[in-house]
Amino acid sequence: MEVLGIPDPWVWSAYILSILAMLLCVIYGVLNWNKGEEEEEEQIKEELEWEKKEREMEEKELGM
Amino acid sequence: MDTLLLSFIVLIYLILIGYTGYIAWKRTESAEDFMVAGRTSHPYIMALSYGATFISTAAIVGFGGVAGVYGMGLLWLTVLNILVGIFIAFVFFGKKTRKMGHNISALTFPEFLSKRYDSKFIQYFSGLVIFVGMPLYASVVLIGMARFVEATLNIDYTVALLVMAIIVAIYVIFGGIKGVMYTDALQGTIMFFGMIFLLVSTYWILGGVTGSQQALTNMANLVPQSAAATGATGWTTMPALGSPFWWSLLSTLILGVGIGVLSQPQLVVRFMTVKSNRELNRAVLVGGIFIFLMTGTAFIVGALSNVYFFQQMGQIAVQAAGENADKIIPLFITKAMPLWFAYLFMITLLSAAMSTLSAQFHVQGTAIGRDVYETLSRKKGRSTVLIARGGIAIAVLIAVILGLVLPTNIIAVGTAMWFSLTAVAFLSMYVCALFWKGSTKLGVISGMVTGTLITLFWLLFVFKKSAGALGISQAIVGSPTLITAAPWPAMDPIVIGLPIAAVITIVVSLLTKKPSKEHIDKCFEGI
């Protein structure tokens, strides 16, 4: 069977699977669009500390 | 060359990049500002920043060129890039890495592994692996860009390479890391539309999706004798099962890069800097479309360029490009696309190279400064800055030297070698770090050291593409490779090294003392 001008099933299935894999990402992204947000006070504080440390590292190590 | 058109495009681009960089810089004045901007900013920025770092000139120019030789079977790499590089990486690895990275305050990938297993040795050994292995990857990114400038502006390759290296060195040393994600996102957007234009116009020029692919199928009898002898069967069919051509395509190009992406130090770090799992969930959508368009377009266009070159010049792509696959995509774009697009694409590749190189040089600088020097000397502060800067300078210099001495057709192979090395050295321990509380320090060290040694041995003495080019085996044992019987010389180190490293990690972990409960609880808190 030839699909889209490609005779080898191993090759046309890669063509179609790459489109399906992209669609999987799109569907997952849409379904989970608003899930996973962390609102806890502690989490925000922890992340602030994180950013501070990262900036310090960049300034210290690369002078940026 | 149209100097006026080129200057106009470069000027508009520089204004846009300058403005975006300025906005990003203004918004990151303080950690609080960064937090607010981070919480309200679109995940589009994170995903495109990840994508622009992931997909560089090596992917577009190198692998696009490889598709011109190996054909559309390379689309399996697109499948893996999306499923493994985006879906599994973000959904299963990214979320855990982000939380654990917070729990143990890790700032680099080696530091993450080192703190997770409470071992300084892991930090400097992996820092060393990165510093030794990454210049090869950085140099092939530089080569990709220089090849494109050579074809588009018709200037000497060596001049293009040196000018590119100087621009990138200035960008990394003076331009800094600030605002890199915003500019990445803008560059990613340009890449995004550029690739859609390239895909649609290629199909348009060559007679539609089915028509152009049918034309490529009909060219199977034009496969060069040398390639057919090693297993090539055409551009729309897979190579003969088990042939050297098949092993090369499957193990080096598809598996090496498709799986190796999971343990890429410069990408793992990005998981540790996102704000919440919500950003990762949203980034899956943007990243999936982005990677599909980037790699899918490069591989389809690379393969179809054979039809174009045959219709126009009576030659297949690699012959038209002077037997150098690295030149196929640049040549196709300059010949088949409008001039304005060639210039725009050059700008796109320049930004793709810069976004990847800045991350690479930064990772190498910190690897030598923070992971190796600080760990060995137990000193912090001014000397680390000097070592890190010196490390960056040396890394740029090595990349330039490699860019001048490496053989042709090296971009995709060089990229794959780096991906294999990091996969074999780090993947088992990274997976165990996230998913197996019972993995031990000694277990993962044994896996990492054995994996690295096997990879180096295989690259120097067995794997034909690298051993032949480097010539060390020839000098010592008088033969380009130690084993000549098929399929070993065509087999990528990942096929041998990864399973051995994984088994050693598991077996030694089962036999050695488990880490303390307190340490494990701290690492896995909230996971």
Side-chain angles (χ1 to χ4, degrees), chain A residues 18-63:
Chain A
S18 58
I19 297 172
L20 292 178
M22 178 198 64
L23 287 176
L24 172 76
C25 291
V26 172
I27 293 165
Y28 180 89
V30 170
L31 291 179
N32 294 287
W33 194 254
N34 282 320
K35 291 181 188 160
E37 191 181 14
E38 291 174 14
E39 290 163 343
E40 300 90 8
E41 198 77 356
E42 203 176 314
Q43 189 71 31
I44 295 172
K45 243 171 61 191
E46 188 187 326
E47 281 170 2
L48 270 172
E49 192 60 33
W50 176 263
E51 292 303 338
K52 222 192 271 171
K53 271 191 193 161
E54 193 179 64
R55 284 167 63 86
E56 273 170 19
M57 185 200 79
E58 278 173 8
E59 276 163 20
K60 205 171 66 179
E61 294 198 346
L62 297 172

Side-chain angles (χ1 to χ4, degrees), chain B residues 148-205:
Chain B
F148 198 82
V149 171
E150 180 194 27
T152 317
L153 302 184
N154 207 15
I155 60 171
D156 183 61
Y157 168 73
T158 310
V159 176
L161 186 84
L162 287 175
V163 170
M164 267 297 301
I166 291 168
I167 293 176
V168 173
I170 292 171
Y171 176 86
V172 177
I173 293 164
F174 298 105
I177 296 299
K178 278 178 188 168
V180 109
M181 282 181 80
Y182 275 46
T183 45
D184 273 359
L186 175 72
Q187 291 159 348
T189 309
I190 299 174
M191 288 160 78
F192 194 87
F193 289 107
M195 291 308 254
I196 291 179
F197 181 88
L198 181 60
L199 183 65
V200 173
S201 42
T202 304
Y203 273 136
W204 182 269
I205 294 169

Side-chain angles (χ1 to χ4, degrees), chain A residues 2 4-8 10-11 13-15 17-19 21-22 24-26 28-30 32-38 43-44 46-48 50-55 57-58 60-64, chain B residues 28-29 34-35 39 75-76 79 82 91 95 98-99 101-102 105-106 172 176-177 203 209-210 213-214 217 236-238 272-273 275-278 281-282 284-285 292 362 366 370 385 388-389 392:
Chain A
E2 203 170 275
L4 299 169
I6 303 170
D8 187 346
W10 281 102
V11 178
S13 54
Y15 193 102
L17 265 177
S18 58
I19 297 172
M22 178 198 64
L24 172 76
C25 291
V26 172
Y28 180 89
V30 170
N32 294 287
W33 194 254
N34 282 320
K35 291 181 188 160
E37 191 181 14
E38 291 174 14
Q43 189 71 31
I44 295 172
E46 188 187 326
E47 281 170 2
L48 270 172
W50 176 263
E51 292 303 338
K52 222 192 271 171
K53 271 191 193 161
E54 193 179 64
R55 284 167 63 86
M57 185 200 79
E58 278 173 8
K60 205 171 66 179
E61 294 198 346
L62 297 172
M64 291 160 183
Chain B
T28 50
E29 267 300 285
F34 192 97
M35 277 298 296
R39 287 233 177 251
L75 280 169
W76 279 106
V79 177
I82 302 173
V91 176
K95 290 176 183 174
R98 182 189 150 273
K99 186 68 189 160
H102 276 70
S105 306
V172 177
I177 296 299
Y203 273 136
V209 177
T210 308
Q213 283 160 190
Q214 186 66 57
T217 301
T236 53
T237 46
M238 290 297 273
M272 299 198 273
T273 60
K275 305 295 159 284
S276 76
N277 285 346
R278 190 185 67 169
N281 285 337
R282 294 181 174 188
V284 169
L285 186 149
F292 170 76
H362 180 244
T366 52
R370 188 179 178 88
V385 181
R389 282 199 171 141
I392 291 177

Side-chain angles (χ1 to χ4, degrees), chain B residues 77 80 249-261 492 494-495:
Chain B
L77 180 56
L80 284 185
L249 174 68
L250 203 83
S251 70
T252 305
L253 300 166
I254 297 177
L255 281 183
V257 177
I259 294 175
V261 67
D492 194 79
I494 197 171
V495 181

